[in-house]
Amino acid sequence: MAKETPETPTSNSSQDSALGVAVAGTYEEKKPLEFGNVTRRVWDSFKQNPNYHITQKGVVGANGHVFDVESAAVATAESPLARKLKGRHLQMIAIGGSIGTGLFVGSGKALQQGGPASLLIAFALIGAMLFCTVQALGEMAVLLPVAGLAGSFSAYSTRFLDPAWGFAMGWNYAMQWMIVMPLEIVAAAITIQYWNYPVSPAAWVSIFLVIIIGINMVGVQGYGEAECVKHPLYPHQSTYRYRFFFSLIKIIAVVGFIVLGVILDSGGGLNGEYIGGRNYRDPGAFNNGFKGLCSVFVIAAFAFTGTELVGLAAAETANPRRSLPTAVKQVFWRICLFYIVSLLLVGLLVPYTDPRLIGQSSVDAKASPFVIAIKNAGINGLDSVMNVVVMISVLSVGNSCVYGSSRTLCALAEQGQAPQFLAYIDRRGRPLKAIGVASVIGLLAFLAASKRETDVFIWLQALSGLSSIFTWGSICLAHIRFRRAWRLQGHSLDELAYRSQAGVVGSWIGFLFNVLVLIAQFWTGFAPVKPKYGPPITGVSARIKSFFQAYLAFPLVVLCYLGYKVVYRTPFMRAKDMDLRTGVRDLNLAELVADEERERASWPKWKRAYKFLC
């Protein structure tokens, strides 16, 4: 492994000690924050991090093509990407980050295809599966934190399954975020058309691109943020603050809708009409039978995309043993409550036969059941407020797309599975060149101004349709293999700083459920649900088109895996040969356990019960 150290970074040791900040991989100059130095400091911040490590693509072994798994593990463990995240930010981002167009708009399509009962069943099952997945990911992330949030998905597959599968999963995840970014920007432009503004969509796309890229580039500098000027070692604090703000708005909107929905359903609306469970009787609880239920699973999975980031945030917390269990449990309960309760009310207030559920686009805010429920109540102006929330949700997801895809590309480059220039990290901890690539892909959003934007974006959406299912299944399988290696190499579960509450059984449940979702999507893609409006999908060409629009991600993942496997002849990772040493987080487990036991002994019974559940 080659290492570039053009200069040694300097830091204020007393300040570092007072702040409790690890300075490895950050750069700070002892210069006063004078106006004359601002321009130079900004310019210098874009230079390469002095502690940057370059990972070789691989070490050629006796068979001619051996992937260097150890070097990849070292590079991802020692990456200079900044690690700083507070517990409250971790919880709010994970909760609000998963609330977006999948809930606000995609739920309308799910309601129309499967009915209100299918909607609840699918979201509840996906939520339960995600609990097992996040628990498994959290266990691995605490023990073996990988630099960069999104990089862990590919890193754990590389380390515990097969480097070729890690390559496929890394590019699968990066592709998901890169493709979703232009889709979400177009969605934001479409939501503005709700107010019939006579402005070209291209103008709105330009504005949103500047905002999103600006948050990821200028926001991390944070010269206007007092916290960031005071604590220059917090490279991504401004980005987290933006995401925290977005998440807070979405959570307030969902809570407000739940309160309003209960009032409307119980007869507290303007007309005083009691609704109750009328829509469960007429038109009914289910639509399109079992196939309708199967067609909702992928929509639910898309709505929960991003929830897995809470497990990876273990690498961003100072005390993961304390913060991660609380975050995982609270995220699970809060997401289930937000999703299940809000969708229960949606099913009670909006019948699945409502023609407004079928919009011209899957991101059309007019097709949002939340907006429809408010319009049915006759409350003037409130539908526009909900539309603003939908637009904020879309922009929030777009911001996460740049963040997630850039970190994934950077991690792939550090593992030798992407061009090395993508591993460039500047002195503020930003993967600049990876951000640039993600931003260039975002220019596809200008297709919103073309005449064929619907066809183009249907196929772009098909590229990322099953990405989350592959990601979650790989996490569960990697955890199963990790536990086997941990046992075979003589370790006990007592050595783990954080242990998955669901255990290996939960990982098997999560893995098998993801496989079942893939099978269900294959079935509904080949024999789709009959559309309520428009001609049925018949004929060979129409069925093939429908199948690839639902299943295009699968052949691309297989192609990436087999291509990398053939070229590099990577080995399947055997449990006895897995590296369980490199990058292990150094935690004084005995001291942490003793402190926790002393603190737990002072808790009253109600707090013990609360901590057990939350």
Side-chain angles (χ1 to χ4, degrees):
M1 179 176 66
K3 181 177 181 181
E4 293 184 0
T5 54
E7 55 181 309
T8 303
T10 60
S11 63
N12 190 327
S13 58
S14 61
Q15 182 187 36
D16 299 340
S17 177
L19 296 176
V21 177
V23 299
T26 57
Y27 180 88
E28 181 185 14
E29 297 181 9
K30 292 182 179 180
K31 293 183 179 180
L33 287 175
E34 299 177 358
F35 179 78
N37 291 330
V38 170
T39 303
R40 181 177 178 182
R41 287 171 63 86
V42 172
W43 177 260
D44 289 344
S45 71
F46 288 94
K47 294 181 180 179
Q48 191 171 8
N49 191 300
N51 292 336
Y52 170 55
H53 295 268
I54 300 177
T55 306
Q56 298 177 356
K57 270 196 167 184
V59 177
V60 178
N63 60 356
H65 300 282
V66 176
F67 185 85
D68 188 3
V69 179
E70 183 177 355
S71 296
V74 171
T76 52
E78 297 179 354
S79 170
L81 278 175
R83 295 175 178 175
K84 189 67 183 178
L85 187 61
K86 294 183 179 180
R88 66 178 184 272
H89 291 158
L90 163 64
Q91 296 178 27
M92 188 66 70
I93 290 169
I95 296 169
S98 63
I99 299 176
T101 52
L103 174 64
F104 290 128
V105 180
S107 57
K109 181 180 179 182
L111 177 62
Q112 189 277 324
Q113 288 188 350
S118 294
L119 186 67
L120 286 177
I121 293 172
F123 274 79
L125 290 176
I126 293 292
M129 178 270 294
L130 265 179
F131 174 77
C132 300
T133 302
V134 173
Q135 288 280 346
L137 181 59
E139 180 180 304
M140 293 187 294
V142 169
L143 181 70
L144 301 163
V146 177
L149 289 179
S152 296
F153 297 128
S154 59
Y156 295 136
S157 293
T158 297
R159 198 162 185 168
F160 302 127
L161 299 178
D162 184 343
W165 188 250
F167 171 81
M169 287 300 96
W171 280 102
N172 167 72
Y173 198 75
M175 178 182 64
Q176 172 191 355
W177 286 112
M178 286 191 292
I179 295 301
V180 169
M181 178 188 174
L183 287 171
E184 297 293 340
I185 293 176
V186 171
I190 292 176
T191 56
I192 290 183
Q193 296 178 13
Y194 183 82
W195 295 290
N196 297 319
Y197 285 143
V199 180
S200 171
W204 295 115
V205 168
S206 301
I207 294 173
F208 296 146
L209 272 174
V210 171
I211 292 174
I212 291 174
I213 297 174
I215 289 176
N216 281 271
M217 294 294 295
V218 180
V220 294
Q221 291 294 326
Y223 286 105
E225 293 284 341
E227 285 282 327
C228 291
V229 172
K230 183 178 179 181
H231 305 314
L233 295 176
Y234 291 10
H236 295 292
Q237 195 166 30
S238 295
T239 299
Y240 287 132
R241 190 172 286 113
Y242 282 118
R243 297 173 69 192
F244 183 90
F245 173 73
F246 284 150
S247 299
L248 184 61
I249 290 178
K250 291 185 285 185
I251 290 173
I252 292 175
V254 173
V255 172
F257 177 83
I258 290 174
V259 174
L260 177 63
V262 171
I263 295 173
L264 295 177
D265 189 66
S266 58
L270 297 179
N271 56 9
E273 181 184 9
Y274 173 75
I275 300 175
R278 177 196 309 164
N279 291 326
Y280 272 75
R281 296 188 299 270
D282 183 21
F286 293 93
N287 188 28
N288 295 311
F290 182 68
K291 183 180 290 187
L293 173 62
C294 291
S295 66
V296 176
F297 280 123
V298 173
I299 300 175
F302 176 77
F304 277 109
T305 298
T307 309
E308 68 278 355
L309 291 179
V310 67
L312 294 180
E316 304 280 332
T317 55
N319 187 356
R321 181 178 171 85
R322 179 188 298 271
S323 60
L324 185 64
T326 300
V328 168
K329 286 184 285 188
Q330 291 186 3
V331 164
F332 171 75
W333 286 113
R334 292 174 185 178
I335 284 182
C336 285
L337 289 175
F338 287 153
Y339 275 79
I340 300 303
V341 175
S342 63
L343 292 177
L344 171 63
L345 292 168
V346 162
L348 292 173
L349 296 173
V350 182
Y352 68 75
T353 54
D354 193 314
R356 290 171 294 180
L357 290 173
I358 310 300
Q360 295 180 351
S361 169
S362 61
V363 293
D364 189 353
K366 297 178 183 179
S368 170
F370 290 80
V371 176
I372 293 173
I374 293 174
K375 287 183 70 68
N376 289 344
I379 304 176
N380 295 329
L382 196 56
D383 57 331
S384 293
V385 173
M386 181 57 70
N387 190 59
V388 170
V389 174
V390 173
M391 186 176 67
I392 291 175
S393 302
V394 169
L395 291 177
S396 173
V397 174
N399 179 47
S400 298
C401 288
V402 177
Y403 187 86
S405 61
S406 61
R407 271 64 183 178
T408 303
L409 291 174
C410 181
L412 286 172
E414 288 178 343
Q415 297 175 66
Q417 296 175 335
Q420 283 296 302
F421 78 90
L422 293 174
Y424 183 98
I425 302 172
D426 70 2
R427 294 176 177 180
R428 286 289 177 177
R430 298 168 299 193
L432 280 183
K433 295 183 179 181
I435 291 176
V437 171
S439 301
V440 169
I441 299 297
L443 297 178
L444 289 173
F446 283 103
L447 290 171
S450 69
K451 296 180 180 179
R452 299 296 299 274
E453 79 278 7
T454 301
D455 293 336
V456 171
F457 280 96
I458 284 177
W459 285 105
L460 287 177
Q461 195 172 26
L463 290 173
S464 60
L466 294 177
S467 295
S468 295
I469 303 299
F470 282 111
T471 299
W472 298 336
S474 297
I475 291 171
C476 293
L477 186 58
H479 179 250
I480 293 170
R481 298 291 298 156
F482 159 74
R483 277 290 190 93
R484 177 172 172 78
W486 190 257
R487 178 174 55 85
L488 288 180
Q489 295 186 25
H491 297 282
S492 69
L493 297 181
D494 294 333
E495 299 177 50
L496 297 174
Y498 175 73
R499 190 187 310 175
S500 169
Q501 293 178 324
V504 178
V505 175
S507 294
W508 273 112
I509 292 174
F511 174 71
L512 293 176
F513 189 82
N514 280 288
V515 172
L516 291 176
V517 171
L518 288 175
I519 295 174
Q521 182 69 358
F522 182 92
W523 178 37
T524 56
F526 181 77
V529 172
K530 181 180 178 181
K532 189 172 184 63
Y533 300 94
I537 299 175
T538 58
V540 177
S541 60
R543 287 184 179 274
I544 291 176
K545 180 180 179 180
S546 173
F547 173 78
F548 279 106
Q549 286 179 350
Y551 226 69
L552 183 59
F554 179 80
L556 291 179
V557 167
V558 173
L559 182 63
C560 288
Y561 172 70
L562 294 180
Y564 199 87
K565 188 77 174 175
V566 170
V567 172
Y568 291 97
R569 298 181 183 177
T570 58
F572 294 105
M573 301 308 300
R574 303 180 64 182
K576 65 182 184 65
D577 298 327
M578 293 178 187
D579 181 7
L580 300 178
R581 298 183 303 275
T582 304
V584 172
R585 190 163 188 168
D586 186 15
L587 293 173
N588 191 334
L589 189 56
E591 182 178 345
L592 291 176
V593 171
D595 291 341
E596 290 175 5
E597 290 179 350
R598 284 193 296 268
E599 182 180 3
R600 192 178 295 110
S602 63
W603 289 348
K605 292 183 179 180
W606 69 265
K607 190 171 184 179
R608 294 182 184 181
Y610 172 79
K611 287 293 184 180
F612 176 78
L613 295 175
C614 303

